[in-house]
Amino acid sequence: MAVELMTEGLTTEALTREEQGPPSGPFEVIVVGGGMVGITMACLLGRAGLSVVLLDAREAPLDRDAVGRGRPSMRVSALTPVSRQLLEGLGAWQGITARRVSPYRYMQVWDGEGSGEVNFSADQAGVPVLGHIVENDVTLAALEASLAELPTVKVQFGARVAGLETDGEKRAVVLEDGNWLQAPLVVAADGARSPLREMAGIAVSARDTGQVAVVTTVCTRLGHGGVARQVFLPTGPLAFLPLHVEGNDRHCSIVWSTTPAEAERLTAVLEEDLGRELGAAIEHRLGEVTVVDQALALPLTQRHAERYAGPGFALVGDAAHSIHPLAGQGVNLGLMDAAVLAEEVVEGRRRGLSPGDEHVLVRYARRRRGDNAAMLALMDGFRLLFGARHPALMLARNLGLSGVDRLGPLKRLLMQQATGHRGRLPASCRPLSRRDAG
Ligand SMILES: Cc1cc2nc3c(=O)[nH]c(=O)nc-3n(C[C@H](O)[C@H](O)[C@H](O)COP(=O)(O)OP(=O)(O)OC[C@H]3O[C@@H](n4cnc5c(N)ncnc54)[C@H](O)[C@@H]3O)c2cc1C
């Protein structure tokens, strides 16, 4: 694995400083980034007994007692049953259900410009639920609690990494305050704009989707009935993700992907007007819509790192790939990266290999990059097909959606994708009762 190390930007003086800040090593792995993927990574390694330090730029952990109460947060993710199994094994799922979680058993996807519609149900997929909508903070709070139980994992908040260096067999990260830490493996889970990816000199292919996601929370006159709804409009897809709030099913989280100009307009209009537009856009399927939070605009860029690893260095989660949210796959793919990398590190260790060994990292990259690339390409295809105004493509997509609805095997395949059942799952993602099965 030929990898050029980037040595710009930091002086070796930073590495030879006397003052070494807390926490003190030695560590086998440094995880940079305490989002959902980074914490999962640290939990998996810590549960296998590795000594790990997790560094995050956030000033402090979440107030775990406050999360999941009152008005739902605007940032949510649809977690697949496979991600749930992973989180169950880490003891985090229990922390999620104790706060707030919204299962959905049905999915309804239709073409706002035509007649095509496809309906999925948990029964057809042979699973109890198709997935769960969970506020990102709820997942994070539950993971932070699981992490706090692990004696071999140290966590430092307010620790922004400013440099990445090589020190003999080890990689070293240098913090903004000049302190540094070293380990045989540095895992970058530092999000879509990943400063560490850049420091490692790993190129990324980025494609502006030409869309911006407007997110908010709404209350609807009719209950959602545990159905995740998505309509493809000419400007982009609009999702109503079902939330259960204090025993009622009349809240939804909105992800409206649209043109930048439309997003600017939608975030500036009065709440009543936005509610009216949302209600009309989903053809009044949930009755009157009332917006109960501010509307936030998030630019959508698809990125894919050209390599997932270098010497003593690996990328996971959004740092490796960021994907259009139309199929709700982003964090699910990231959690799978963490599960596979942890499995390879632990397996390598059993064979006497260091966590940063080339064989370990090559195996990780091989198992994950192709799968993620296929999902990114699929999202691109959907976006282009549904954005198309060419009559032939419009006909194709209507026939396509209706055809999918009629064709049992194709529908089952799509449902497997949606529920995360793709390829060989790492042991940590299998149901707890089947963890020993090969
Ligand atoms: C509108 C929208 C809807 C979405 N819906 C879904 C969905 O339904 N389902 C789904 O699976 N995915 C969804 N996603 C994607 C999902 O939100 C992301 O994939 C996920 O949040 C990425 O998690 P992460 O841990 O990789 O990165 P992040 O959450 O970005 O975490 C990165 C962490 O790194 C830290 N950090 C950054 N730089 C440094 C540094 N230099 N030093 C130290 N720490 C640093 C940050 O503080 C942060 O805590 C959606 C995304 C969007 C935009």
Side-chain angles (χ1 to χ4, degrees):
M1 190 169 46
V3 175
E4 296 276 318
L5 292 180
M6 211 180 101
T7 49
E8 273 176 19
L10 270 173
T11 59
T12 41
E13 187 194 347
L15 292 176
T16 52
R17 274 173 212 268
E18 286 300 298
E19 11 100 57
Q20 290 188 27
S24 57
F27 298 109
E28 289 171 280
V29 182
I30 299 171
V31 179
V32 181
M36 292 181 274
V37 176
I39 302 192
T40 299
M41 184 79 234
C43 278
L44 285 162
L45 295 173
R47 285 174 77 90
L50 275 90
S51 66
V52 177
V53 60
L54 176 90
L55 305 171
D56 195 281
R58 280 188 285 146
E59 275 316 309
L62 291 168
D63 175 356
R64 297 209 275 270
D65 292 334
V67 168
R69 316 233 173 280
R71 190 170 63 190
S73 154
M74 273 186 290
R75 296 302 313 273
V76 306
S77 295
L79 298 180
T80 62
V82 167
S83 293
R84 172 199 170 147
Q85 282 157 199
L86 172 65
L87 295 167
E88 268 174 355
L90 300 177
W93 191 252
Q94 297 76 337
I96 290 176
T97 53
R99 290 180 174 87
R100 188 157 51 207
V101 61
S102 308
Y104 57 96
R105 302 194 69 245
Y106 308 93
M107 264 163 56
Q108 217 169 63
V109 181
W110 72 98
D111 187 350
E113 286 249 289
S115 57
E117 173 158 334
V118 59
N119 289 280
F120 300 100
S121 78
D123 288 345
Q124 287 168 337
V127 289
V129 294
L130 288 175
H132 293 82
I133 308 297
V134 189
E135 290 152 73
N136 291 357
D137 278 359
V138 165
T139 305
L140 268 181
L143 281 165
E144 283 180 10
S146 295
L147 196 66
E149 307 271 295
L150 298 171
T152 61
V153 182
K154 300 223 168 9
V155 185
Q156 193 177 357
F157 286 97
R160 183 177 294 281
V161 172
L164 176 70
E165 289 283 347
T166 303
D167 190 13
E169 290 289 289
K170 294 190 172 174
R171 296 306 299 255
V173 295
V174 186
L175 304 182
E176 219 169 37
D177 62 9
N179 286 312
W180 57 277
L181 297 156
Q182 59 177 25
L185 174 63
V186 172
V187 178
D190 52 347
R193 292 176 184 279
S194 179
L196 269 92
R197 183 181 65 215
E198 205 179 321
M199 290 172 205
I202 294 182
V204 66
S205 58
R207 182 160 356 165
D208 183 358
T209 62
Q211 291 184 344
V212 171
V214 175
V215 296
T216 189
T217 309
V218 298
C219 186
T220 55
R221 199 173 66 74
L222 305 177
H224 52 62
V227 183
R229 293 175 171 81
Q230 181 151 253
V231 54
F232 282 89
L233 300 168
T235 44
L238 162 63
F240 271 63
L241 305 173
L243 297 174
H244 290 273
V245 181
E246 285 155 15
N248 81 63
D249 74 343
R250 296 194 303 110
H251 283 81
C252 287
S253 183
I254 301 297
V255 182
W256 192 344
S257 307
T258 185
T259 61
E262 261 298 280
E264 201 178 327
R265 190 186 66 75
L266 291 169
T267 48
V269 295
L270 293 175
E271 280 178 4
E272 301 92 88
D273 294 335
L274 180 56
R276 260 193 298 278
E277 290 202 37
L278 283 163
I282 64 150
E283 301 163 7
H284 307 289
R285 292 186 184 205
L286 293 173
E288 193 183 331
V289 175
T290 309
V291 174
V292 297
D293 206 341
Q294 58 173 312
L296 195 73
L298 306 165
L300 298 175
T301 301
Q302 280 213 159
R303 296 185 183 84
H304 203 194
E306 286 182 2
R307 289 177 287 121
Y308 279 17
F313 182 79
L315 295 168
V316 289
D318 273 24
H321 45 78
S322 49
I323 182 167
H324 195 291
L326 75 88
Q329 287 294 323
V331 77
N332 293 292
L333 299 179
L335 295 177
M336 190 62 68
D337 297 342
V340 169
L341 179 55
E343 185 165 89
E344 291 299 339
V345 166
V346 171
E347 172 58 20
R349 194 179 192 233
R350 206 178 53 76
R351 289 169 28 225
L353 300 177
S354 149
D357 189 278
E358 183 177 334
H359 291 96
V360 169
L361 301 180
V362 165
R363 283 179 61 89
Y364 158 65
R366 203 176 285 149
R367 281 178 68 185
R368 289 307 299 151
R369 198 172 182 284
D371 188 33
N372 291 334
M375 191 56 86
L376 282 155
L378 191 64
M379 291 312 108
D380 257 351
F382 269 128
R383 207 172 42 73
L384 294 175
L385 184 63
F386 283 94
R389 303 207 70 103
H390 190 285
L393 284 175
M394 287 167 74
L395 179 66
R397 73 192 186 207
N398 278 332
L399 290 174
L401 278 184
S402 309
V404 165
D405 209 37
R406 282 193 300 268
L407 271 178
L410 178 58
K411 200 166 164 181
R412 261 195 303 282
L413 187 77
L414 282 176
M415 281 191 289
Q416 276 172 356
Q417 298 280 321
T419 54
H421 292 94
R422 285 189 304 278
R424 179 165 75 87
L425 292 181
S428 57
C429 293
R430 294 184 204 137
L432 285 175
S433 54
R434 302 219 318 262
R435 291 275 156 107
D436 293 333

